[in-house]
Structures are given as structure tokens and as C-alpha cells.
Amino acid sequence: MATAETWQPAPSLPPPRIETGWIGWARANLFGNWLSGLVTVVTVPLIVWAAWRMLGWLFGTADWTLIASRPQQYLIGLYPTELAWRPLTGWLLVSILFGMAAAMWGGAARRIAIGYGAVTVLLGVLPYGLFHEGVVMPWWVRAFILGNLLTLGIGYLLGMNPKTGRPRNFVLGGIAIYVLLLLILIGIPGVPGMEEVAPRRWGGLMLNLILAVSGIFFAFPIGVLLALGRRSNLPVVKVLCVVFIEVFRGVPLITLLFMSQVLVPLALPANFPVDSVTRAAIVITLFSAAYTAENIRGGLQGLHPGQAEAARALGLPGWQVTTLIQLPQAIRNVIPAIVGQFIALFKDTSLVYIVGMLDILEMGRSIVQGNVQFTDNGRENLIFVAAVFWIFTYTMSYVSRRIERNLGVGRR
């Protein structure tokens, strides 16, 4: 008697090797058609040749003595060397925020904190470096730098605590640390070791960061208020907001910086205590707030009006409709534009050299022009400054992309 044979499917064959791995990637992206293959054949050798020349110059011909011999000036400008412990103390306080962010949000924040800690260790173990030119780093400077690992851990523990690890506490802590940092840098007359240091002596990367943080922190809420005011039904409020936005968007930032240093003092009393750094920070903030307002207004206009009508039908007052329904969605939709504006703000801080401030770019230029031995190191100076700006801007862009991914920006 014949037995029925059981049917079994044929085993699945693996995909062709030319469609997987790096061979498949190259075929799909570099040699997908004859035009793509031609462009690849022409450009890849040029890119390899340029990269080889650049790497050969960076690690062979380039002279980085300029950067290694002037770390203090690149970081804190003309801030007194004997008071360098004060910027270092502010650095310790900032590390607390990195630790809290790593514990509270994890993911990208944790990776950034790990990279921040790795850089701190690297700077702390270098034999030469910060705040002393050409000599071995003093033990107290090394202790301050490596102490950031301790404050980073303290911040992580605070972020892990359910009572302290809240976004509201993080924001309030950031504000408190920022105010305390400014107080430490300026000094308190009459207190030993806290001699007053005029803001005109601030410089280097410290000046860029202070101006950028001030601008970002204040420009965002001001921009939100301006965007809401421009959409207001009150004619006076709307006209004032429109005039403010159009004036600051229509005038170059360089012109506004000149006006803040030349024209604004004419309108103030002779002994009015507003230094040049404060005036520059105010102008940069207002300039960025005008662009931020237009970004947020675009997000508000992109919302369907039926949402506001439904909220009003449920009995919600106007301020709740704006703050709970419209504004969160608008900000979520324009995160790329807002972060792009903040990145532009950080880069625009280098323009303060026009009004006599020694930011990191101007400080490097003055070192090159003021020392005969560094006359030929202009390229090294510019590449170093560009790398510093790129690190900060790329970090901001990376955090923005992670926030967009978590919030589902661009996806329904």
C-alpha cells in the first residue's frame, strides 16, 4: 500500500551577496545607475586625495604650539590667572546639570554626559595645559578639573531621586547655577578672594558661552510672548509686537551691536551701571527673540482652527486654549527651526569682536598678530576655533534630533 508523502516547503535561499553587506550598499547608493557610477568614480578619488592631504597637514605639517601654549586665553580671555579658580568653580556647578540630565532623560543626555566626563578626564590627566602657559599643570587646577567627575556623580544622584529629579527642579537649578556663576565671575567687593573683575576682561570661550546661554534662555520666552502678541486681537499689543519683530529682523546684528555700544549709553545716565557685555547680551537676546517669534507664529498658524473651537466649546478659557492646546503643538512642530535659530545665535556671539570684546575667535586672532613666533599659525588658529564651534553646534543638533524622534515630529 502506497503511503502519502508529506509535502515540505523548499528551504529559503539567502539573498544574493551583491544585495547585502557593504557590496549591496555600494551598489544601491554609489552605482545604482550609470550616472551615479560616473559621479562616484570621479568624486571618490578627489575626496580621498583631499582627505589625505588634509590629514597629512593636520598630523604632520601643522604646528599646534599656539593652541598648547595659550589655553587660558582661549578659555577665559584676560580673566586674572590668580582668580582662575572662580571659572573652574562655575565649571563644577555646570557639571551638576549634566549629571541630572543624564539621570532624568537617559539616552542622548546620558551619552553626552559620558562624553563630557571622558573629556574632563583627558584634560585632567594632561601634563601641560589649562591656566598656565608652558608649565606643568598645578595640582589645584588638576583637582578642580577632575572634581567635575564628582559633581557629575552628585548631579546624577540628584536626578535619580524622585523628589529632586523633576524637570521643574532642573530648570530652577539651572537658573540658580547661572546666577551664581555670574556672581562668582563678577566678584563681591570686600570678600577675600572675590575681588571684582570687570566684564570687559572676560573673554575666550567663556564669553561665547555666557552670551549664548543668556540669549537662548531669555530669547525663547520673549519670542513666545511676541508670537502671541502678534496674533492678539488687541490693536496696540499687535502693532507693538509687529514693529519690534520687523525692526529687529530688518537690521543686521552688527548694526545693533554698534548701536548698543554707541547710541544706548547716550540715552542713559552717565553713571548707569550697564557694562558692554550686558548690552551685547541684551541685543543678541532681542535679535534672536524676533526670529524665534516668527518660528513659533508659523507653528501656531499651522494648527487646525477646529482644535481651538472645540476647546472653547468645552468651556476652556482663552489662556488655557493657548497654553494647553495650541502652544505645545506649535512648539513641537517647529523644534527644528527653533534649534536652528539657537545654533545661529551661538555662532553669532563671535560678532562681538566688532565692539572690542575678546571672544574665542578674536582672542586667537590677537594672539597670532601679537606674537611674532605665531605669525604663521593663522590656519591652525582658525581650524581650532572652527572645531570648538562645531562640537557645540553638533551637540545641539544631535539633542534636537533625539527630541524630535521621541516626540514623533514629522510623523502622524
Side-chain angles (χ1 to χ4, degrees):
M1 182 177 178
T3 59
E5 295 183 0
T6 304
W7 179 83
Q8 294 181 352
S12 300
L13 297 177
R17 294 187 59 184
I18 61 174
E19 296 183 3
T20 60
W22 67 271
I23 298 178
W25 180 89
R27 183 182 180 186
N29 296 277
L30 303 180
F31 300 95
N33 52 54
W34 70 269
L35 180 60
S36 176
L38 178 61
V39 172
T40 300
V41 170
V42 173
T43 58
V44 167
L46 294 177
I47 294 174
V48 172
W49 175 79
W52 179 261
R53 292 290 302 272
M54 178 60 70
L55 293 175
W57 179 82
L58 288 175
F59 299 101
T61 309
D63 182 10
W64 302 102
T65 307
L66 165 67
I67 312 302
S69 62
R70 296 293 191 276
Q72 173 183 347
Q73 296 180 22
Y74 275 104
L75 290 177
I76 61 175
L78 302 179
Y79 204 89
T81 303
E82 63 275 10
L83 300 178
W85 64 270
R86 285 155 62 170
L88 289 173
T89 302
W91 188 0
L92 292 174
L93 296 175
V94 172
S95 297
I96 297 177
L97 296 179
F98 279 94
M100 290 185 64
M104 293 169 56
W105 293 294
R110 184 170 300 173
R111 284 190 285 272
I112 292 175
I114 293 174
Y116 174 80
V119 172
T120 299
V121 172
L122 179 62
L123 294 176
V125 299
L126 290 177
Y128 302 94
L130 307 180
F131 305 111
H132 285 267
E133 301 175 4
V135 298
V136 177
M137 187 185 302
W139 66 269
W140 63 271
V141 176
R142 195 182 305 276
F144 265 101
I145 296 175
L146 294 178
N148 284 277
L149 297 178
L150 177 60
T151 54
L152 190 67
I154 293 175
Y156 189 84
L157 294 177
L158 291 174
M160 292 290 292
N161 191 316
K163 295 182 179 180
T164 57
R166 299 177 179 177
R168 182 185 62 182
N169 294 335
F170 180 83
V171 174
L172 294 177
I175 297 174
I177 288 176
Y178 180 74
V179 173
L180 183 59
L181 174 61
L182 292 180
L183 187 62
I184 292 174
L185 292 177
I186 296 174
I188 304 175
V191 178
M194 294 294 291
E195 294 83 0
E196 187 174 1
V197 179
R200 66 176 179 274
R201 301 191 65 180
W202 298 5
L205 181 61
M206 179 181 69
L207 178 61
N208 294 96
L209 292 177
I210 289 176
L211 292 175
V213 172
S214 300
I216 292 173
F217 179 78
F218 292 106
F220 181 74
I222 295 175
V224 171
L225 294 177
L226 289 173
L228 297 178
R230 186 161 187 168
R231 291 167 52 89
S232 174
N233 295 324
L234 301 176
V236 176
V237 174
K238 184 174 183 178
V239 170
L240 291 177
C241 292
V242 169
V243 170
F244 178 92
I245 292 173
E246 296 304 329
V247 167
F248 275 87
R249 291 177 68 225
V251 179
L253 179 58
I254 295 177
T255 304
L256 294 174
L257 288 172
F258 274 122
M259 293 175 61
S260 69
Q261 305 299 322
V262 178
L263 298 180
V264 172
L266 298 178
L268 299 175
N271 297 324
F272 196 80
V274 178
D275 55 82
S276 57
V277 175
T278 303
R279 292 197 293 266
I282 293 174
V283 167
I284 292 174
T285 299
L286 297 179
F287 182 82
S288 182
Y291 282 90
T292 304
E294 288 299 277
N295 292 332
I296 295 177
R297 186 171 69 90
L300 291 170
Q301 289 183 339
L303 299 178
H304 196 283
Q307 297 188 26
E309 295 172 359
R312 293 190 183 95
L314 293 174
L316 292 179
W319 68 271
Q320 287 188 343
V321 174
T322 301
T323 58
L324 300 180
I325 296 177
Q326 292 182 317
L327 199 56
Q329 295 184 78
I331 294 175
R332 171 184 174 274
N333 292 336
V334 296
I335 286 177
I338 293 176
V339 175
Q341 176 57 36
F342 290 161
I343 290 175
L345 184 153
F346 176 64
K347 293 187 294 184
D348 285 344
T349 58
S350 61
L351 295 176
V352 297
Y353 83 92
I354 295 174
V355 291
M357 299 182 192
L358 298 176
D359 72 305
I360 185 173
L361 178 61
E362 178 64 10
M363 181 58 68
R365 189 190 66 83
S366 63
I367 295 173
V368 172
Q369 294 185 353
N371 296 273
V372 178
Q373 67 272 27
F374 298 138
T375 304
D376 298 330
N377 296 128
R379 288 176 295 183
E380 289 86 347
N381 169 63
L382 293 177
I383 289 177
F384 173 74
V385 173
V388 171
F389 274 97
W390 180 84
I391 290 172
F392 282 94
T393 55
Y394 178 78
T395 301
M396 296 170 65
S397 177
Y398 174 73
V399 172
S400 171
R401 292 197 303 270
R402 299 294 300 187
I403 294 176
E404 293 171 29
R405 183 180 305 175
N406 293 336
L407 295 178
V409 177
R411 300 192 301 270
R412 292 292 182 183

